[in-house]
Amino acid sequence: MTRQSSPGLVREHDAPPSGQPVGSPPPPRLAVGPLTVALGAVTLVASAGTVLLPDVLSGPAAMIGSARGTALVILVVGLPLLAASAMAAARGSRRGEIVVTGVTAYLLYNAVMFVLATPFNGFFLLYEAMLGLAILSLVTGSLRVWRRAPERVVTPARWVAVYIWVVAALNAAAWLAKVLPALAGSHPTDLLDGTGLTTNPVFVQDLAFWLPVMFWLGAGVWRADPRRWALAAAGSVFWVVEALGVAIDQAWGHAADPASSVASDALVPVFLVLALVGIAPAAVLLHRADPVAASSGTWRPQPHRSVLGWVAALNAVAAVGGAWGLASGSLDLGATIEARLPAGSPVLAAVALALAVALPNTALAVLALLGDRRTPLAAVVTGVVLVGWIVVELAFIRGLSFFHPLYTAIGGLLIWLGRSAAVRGAP
């Protein structure tokens, strides 16, 4: 089952779905399970309530802010990605099915956080329903991905396995560096000061389940085990979205209580960078996880679509979070910079941010994830608009931050990816 060369490659928008060879019958459509639909519906209500009705929540201000930040990412990234990938899976895309499983893992992780890290409140039964449906969906989805994995992985990628191991090891070391000294001390519960919790569900989940599983999946990637490879692809999707979620929940938690040690704005750029870095291994794993594309010699899908989709989605959620923070007043720019905004209005700046950055990046993410042939052009236009936005923003606020060169580079990346995809003839 080695990949054969072909004198002419069929462009993606001319090929049958999911890389099916020309002249072959179309792949079977994969039904969107009722569990996925129910999980999406319950999560939508629970997350919207958490963001829009903060008075229902109780506990330390930083924890409430973090919970609302998490719910925001679920609303603007998690659920749209779940819907887009479920639509792709329904059209026969194995990668869509893998992304559904990864997003479901992300929703399960945060359902545990809502249930155990949020004091009992009026949304408790919604959180419980989200947790139960996420467990069932993840189990059934993982079994489907396992059964539908290809017979072999054509090209190993051991650097991805090393990446998985390094991230999991650093994560475990970070938690144990906090847990072990606390256990050795005379007051171990001091570790929880400021959280309002009796134990930390992050430590519980990560050390007992998620990190050991990712170590095991990393070993599968190293050995080119196709079943563990496919599940590692889902795990990489989970990691990217969760890294973005941590960045936003830290920003919102710090904004709610700047004096709290529970949330730190210094972690925001760290996790944004982790999310961006995680796109590369996620794209590689997804690119090689499709059982049809891995065995077809007539069409070789390019990873540009996955990378464009992820980068655009991250941009969109960051812009939505920034716009929400400006409009709600939770993001304080300071009196000097605020006076330099158009009409001195953070709300007007929020609207401009949503229209100029969030909207085009959301459209690009949807086009890329659905494989639309207009993706390359949309990527170039979105990249140009993003760079232009940074220039205009600098002209108004007359101050430079870490984010300006970062998002200028991201705009350049979108332009380059769009042009590369257009040249290769694949969105």
Side-chain angles (χ1 to χ4, degrees):
M1 292 179 60
T2 57
R3 188 187 300 276
Q4 301 173 355
S5 61
S6 176
L9 300 180
V10 179
R11 292 185 299 176
E12 184 169 358
H13 59 264
D14 295 326
S18 298
Q20 188 76 4
V22 175
S24 300
R29 289 178 175 267
L30 307 177
V32 179
L35 283 175
T36 300
V37 175
L39 173 61
V42 169
T43 301
L44 174 63
V45 177
S47 299
T50 302
V51 173
L52 300 175
L53 302 172
D55 291 342
V56 177
L57 307 177
S58 61
M63 296 295 287
I64 293 175
S66 292
R68 296 179 67 208
T70 296
L72 176 66
V73 176
I74 290 174
L75 284 174
V76 301
V77 175
L79 290 179
L81 186 56
L82 182 70
S85 55
M87 290 169 59
R91 298 201 314 267
S93 170
R94 267 57 174 188
R95 293 189 188 95
E97 191 173 49
I98 290 171
V99 174
V100 168
T101 303
V103 177
T104 300
Y106 164 73
L107 295 180
L108 171 57
Y109 188 94
N110 287 288
V112 172
M113 297 302 296
F114 284 149
V115 169
L116 299 180
T118 306
F120 187 84
N121 59 61
F123 299 135
F124 176 75
L125 291 180
L126 285 171
Y127 296 155
E128 281 285 284
M130 179 182 170
L131 176 61
L133 289 168
I135 291 172
L136 293 174
S137 297
L138 183 60
V139 171
T140 57
S142 298
L143 290 174
R144 281 197 304 270
V145 169
W146 183 274
R147 289 196 302 265
R148 293 178 184 273
E151 294 181 9
R152 58 175 293 190
V153 175
V154 176
T155 308
R158 288 188 167 178
W159 70 267
V160 176
V162 173
Y163 169 82
I164 292 173
W165 287 335
V166 168
V167 172
L170 290 176
N171 199 161
W175 296 160
L176 292 175
K178 295 182 178 182
V179 170
L180 294 178
L183 293 177
S186 57
H187 300 285
T189 56
D190 288 349
L191 179 64
L192 303 171
D193 286 351
T195 65
L197 303 176
T198 56
T199 191
N200 191 323
V202 174
F203 298 159
V204 173
Q205 290 193 86
D206 286 357
L207 295 175
F209 181 71
W210 296 108
L211 295 180
V213 166
M214 290 305 292
F215 272 114
W216 177 69
L217 294 178
V221 173
W222 180 271
R223 298 172 183 172
D225 178 341
R227 292 176 177 82
R228 280 191 279 174
W229 182 292
L231 289 178
S236 68
V237 172
F238 165 34
W239 270 3
V240 170
V241 184
E242 178 59 20
L244 178 62
V246 173
I248 301 302
D249 81 47
Q250 289 294 302
W252 278 53
H254 178 77
D257 184 2
S260 174
S261 61
V262 174
S264 170
D265 60 347
L267 294 177
V268 175
V270 173
F271 280 95
L272 286 177
V273 170
L274 283 175
L276 290 171
V277 170
I279 291 173
V284 169
L285 290 170
L286 287 168
H287 176 55
R288 302 179 188 176
D290 187 282
V292 174
S295 61
S296 170
T298 56
W299 178 69
R300 297 178 66 183
Q302 302 298 330
H304 294 78
R305 185 180 68 187
S306 298
V307 176
L308 278 170
W310 281 112
V311 173
L314 291 171
N315 284 344
V317 73
V320 169
W324 181 280
L326 288 170
S328 65
S330 59
L331 181 59
D332 185 11
L333 299 177
T336 301
I337 292 180
E338 189 170 308
R340 296 171 179 170
L341 297 176
S345 171
V347 174
L348 183 58
V351 173
L353 179 60
L355 293 177
V357 181
L359 185 59
N361 275 278
T362 300
L364 174 58
V366 172
L367 290 174
L369 292 171
L370 295 181
D372 193 285
R373 69 184 67 185
R374 295 166 291 184
T375 300
L377 175 60
V380 172
V381 172
T382 302
V384 170
V385 171
L386 181 57
V387 173
W389 168 263
I390 296 299
V391 173
V392 171
E393 181 176 299
L394 287 171
F396 274 101
I397 68 174
R398 301 191 293 277
L400 185 67
S401 77
F402 163 83
F403 294 102
H404 293 121
L406 173 64
Y407 280 100
T408 300
I410 292 172
L413 175 63
L414 289 177
I415 295 169
W416 177 77
L417 288 172
R419 289 175 59 85
S420 298
V423 169
R424 293 170 182 256

